[in-house]
Amino acid sequence: MTDPRPPTLWTRRDVQTRSGWALLSASLFAGFGAFVRLLFPRVRSEPPTKVVLGRPEDFAVGEVSERFKKSHRLIVVREALGFYALRSVCTHLGCVPAWSAAQDKFKCPCHGSGFHRDGVNFEGPAPRPLERLALALDADGNLVADTAVVLRSERGEWARDDAFVRYPKEGRP
Amino acid sequence: MSDAEATGQPGEAPGLVREVVKSALRVENVDTPKNRVLAVAHTVWLHLHPSKVPRHAVRFSFTWGAGGIAFYLFLITVVTGVALMFVYRPTPEHAWLDMKRLDFDVPFGMVNRNMHRWAAHAMVIVVWVHLLRVFLTGSYKAPRQFNWVVGVGLLTLTMLLSFTGYLLPWDQLSMWAVTVGTNMAAAAPVVGHEGPFAAPGVTAANDARALLLGGPTVGGNALLRFYILHCVALPLALGLGCILHFWRVRRDGGISGPAAPKGGA
């Protein structure tokens, strides 16, 4: 079959057809880009990260308190010398470890990871200790945890001042 | 691929492209009148398209292009509507805020929402214009009587889509508009408890209004039901109706034209 058209590179019709398709593709591409951008809103609404835990006296020495576990996924531990807060998020795959007073350990129900009361892992698949949250005493003397500041043992962050709150203050060595 | 294959004739696609196009269209991508007809007739994408367009069909003054424009507007509402669904949550505590979020937070949210809104308004108008044109040109007559009935069904679905979408911004206007609209359902014959000839056993708790609202007033259940109708049930029905409608246009002898074509159209 012979092509009846003159041997030019693009005919007038080719140019128009291709410009049409180019315009259509460009607008579809731009529209798709706008759609992808729409999936990343500028504002996200999240709860405040500072959690007021109450007076230090509210916690008994040796207590592992789960009273903020459901609301904020954090555990408050009071030792003889002071406080620290643990994130109750298993470092294996993110389930919620439960405190077992009888066995004196945190036990994750998903895959059996175990953690000592200080958060250090000792059994099961968890690769590293539970994370601590920054803790401080505010001006009113309340314990305040910040869920946005995560302190990881293997990075040496547990040595920071906000990883452990001395209480009572005169107990400072 | 050799150079000879790659270049080929002017205006002819290179070998690989040609093969891909052929595998998709089931027709050799060589621009001949026969291949054009085959390409249209042999593929799912183009088979609704007429393989030959009669001269009168491109005369805008006869058809006003209203049917095509209505379908185009429907496509716009589908595409923008799906985008809106990624942000909007149909619950009383979120719906109105999500609409405000679309307008003020979400990138391209406002243009998306307004495209959806204006395309929807325009679709209602254009569908009416389409029916008016079909009526004025007598195009509802044999052999197109059935497609007129399908078209009236599509008009009804368009109105119902407009009505159900009206509730979703969840402001005072939509709330009271749907209160009024569903109270009209309560006054419908047979299926409404306030209507004439109410069937035995039809009460305020089980009539057409209760079915629409999922409760005694416009609340969370009504919002959810209208959302599902608006985003799933009605678009699906309208899409299926469009398939039938367009297929019948082809089967009933193509787009209708002037009764006595002048000059061999």
Side-chain angles (χ1 to χ4, degrees):
Chain A
M1 192 176 300
T2 54
D3 193 330
R5 292 172 298 186
T8 53
L9 181 59
W10 284 0
T11 62
R12 185 186 170 86
R13 171 172 286 190
D14 286 339
V15 171
Q16 287 174 347
T17 307
R18 280 159 211 207
S19 337
W21 281 110
L23 200 64
L24 186 70
S25 316
S27 52
L28 284 178
F29 188 76
F32 184 73
F35 167 66
V36 171
R37 185 67 189 84
L38 174 137
L39 298 178
F40 297 91
R42 294 186 194 93
V43 179
R44 291 195 298 171
S45 45
E46 287 169 8
T49 62
K50 298 246 178 174
V51 185
V52 178
L53 305 174
R55 315 291 304 175
E57 310 88 82
D58 297 344
F59 301 88
V61 173
E63 181 182 349
V64 175
S65 168
E66 294 194 304
R67 69 182 90 150
F68 295 97
K69 196 170 94 171
K70 267 203 170 161
S71 56
H72 297 91
R73 284 192 87 172
L74 68 85
I75 305 284
V76 186
V77 184
R78 175 159 187 197
E79 302 284 17
L81 289 178
F83 289 89
Y84 54 88
L86 292 167
R87 252 181 111 210
S88 56
V89 177
C90 183
T91 50
H92 179 220
L93 288 168
C95 298
V96 187
W99 172 249
S100 164
Q103 299 177 70
D104 196 40
K105 70 177 184 184
F106 294 100
K107 189 69 176 171
C108 182
C110 290
H111 306 98
S113 296
F115 306 85
H116 295 303
R117 64 162 48 217
D118 59 1
V120 172
N121 54 315
F122 67 96
E123 64 177 355
R128 54 192 178 83
L130 293 175
E131 291 155 355
R132 288 192 189 181
L133 295 170
L135 200 58
L137 282 169
D138 70 3
D140 300 328
N142 285 316
L143 269 177
V144 179
D146 189 346
T147 57
V149 182
V150 172
L151 307 170
R152 287 165 63 161
S153 162
E154 71 279 11
R155 291 179 179 166
E157 289 165 347
W158 286 7
R160 280 168 49 158
D161 282 349
D162 53 357
F164 190 88
V165 170
R166 297 265 173 194
Y167 187 85
K169 287 219 168 130
E170 53 268 29
R172 184 185 288 273
Chain B
M1 185 163 56
S2 74
D3 277 4
E5 273 178 314
T7 45
Q9 286 281 78
E12 210 174 279
L16 181 63
V17 175
R18 201 165 69 197
E19 197 177 314
V20 170
V21 170
K22 192 194 168 187
S23 71
L25 300 183
R26 300 177 64 230
V27 173
E28 194 74 41
N29 185 29
V30 177
D31 195 358
T32 63
K34 184 187 172 197
N35 276 345
R36 285 180 170 215
V37 171
L38 288 177
V40 166
H42 282 255
T43 76
V44 68
W45 303 112
L46 298 173
H47 78 281
L48 278 174
H49 209 66
S51 44
K52 291 281 181 188
V53 180
R55 186 171 295 277
H56 68 79
V58 291
R59 234 183 74 199
F60 193 76
S61 59
F62 186 78
T63 65
W64 298 344
I69 293 171
F71 182 63
Y72 175 66
L73 291 166
F74 174 61
L75 288 182
I76 292 179
T77 57
V78 168
V79 172
T80 55
V82 168
L84 294 176
M85 286 171 79
F86 278 90
V87 177
Y88 177 84
R89 290 165 289 179
T91 62
E93 64 264 49
H94 291 126
W96 190 79
L97 281 173
D98 283 347
M99 181 197 54
K100 289 291 154 191
R101 214 152 58 87
L102 275 165
D103 280 355
F104 297 111
D105 282 354
V106 178
F108 300 103
M110 192 187 269
V111 72
N112 235 302
R113 192 167 102 79
N114 280 318
M115 274 176 77
H116 191 78
R117 185 185 154 87
W118 288 109
H121 284 319
M123 183 173 156
V124 172
I125 295 168
V126 170
V127 166
W128 276 112
V129 169
H130 179 48
L131 262 82
L132 182 71
R133 189 283 293 177
V134 170
F135 183 76
L136 291 182
T137 58
S139 301
Y140 56 86
K141 293 175 185 169
R144 299 188 172 85
Q145 318 96 309
F146 181 72
N147 221 14
W148 169 262
V149 175
V150 175
V152 172
L154 292 175
L155 169 76
T156 311
L157 287 170
T158 305
M159 309 296 282
L160 287 174
L161 273 162
S162 189
F163 179 62
T164 51
Y166 204 81
L167 181 65
L168 304 187
W170 203 239
D171 53 12
Q172 288 293 314
L173 196 63
S174 55
M175 168 115 178
W176 294 109
V178 170
T179 300
V180 169
T182 49
N183 274 327
M184 287 156 81
V190 186
V191 292
H193 78 281
E194 290 171 343
F197 322 114
V202 170
T203 66
N206 64 11
D207 70 345
R209 189 183 69 146
L211 183 69
L212 279 171
L213 295 184
T217 54
V218 179
N221 283 343
L223 181 57
L224 185 61
R225 287 183 184 202
F226 273 57
Y227 177 76
I228 293 169
L229 285 172
H230 186 75
C231 300
V232 183
L234 294 172
L236 208 60
L238 190 77
L240 290 171
C242 282
I243 292 173
L244 180 59
H245 196 61
F246 302 165
W247 182 77
R248 281 303 297 245
V249 171
R250 294 287 151 263
R251 290 292 146 142
D252 293 341
I255 196 157
S256 65
K262 294 165 211 148

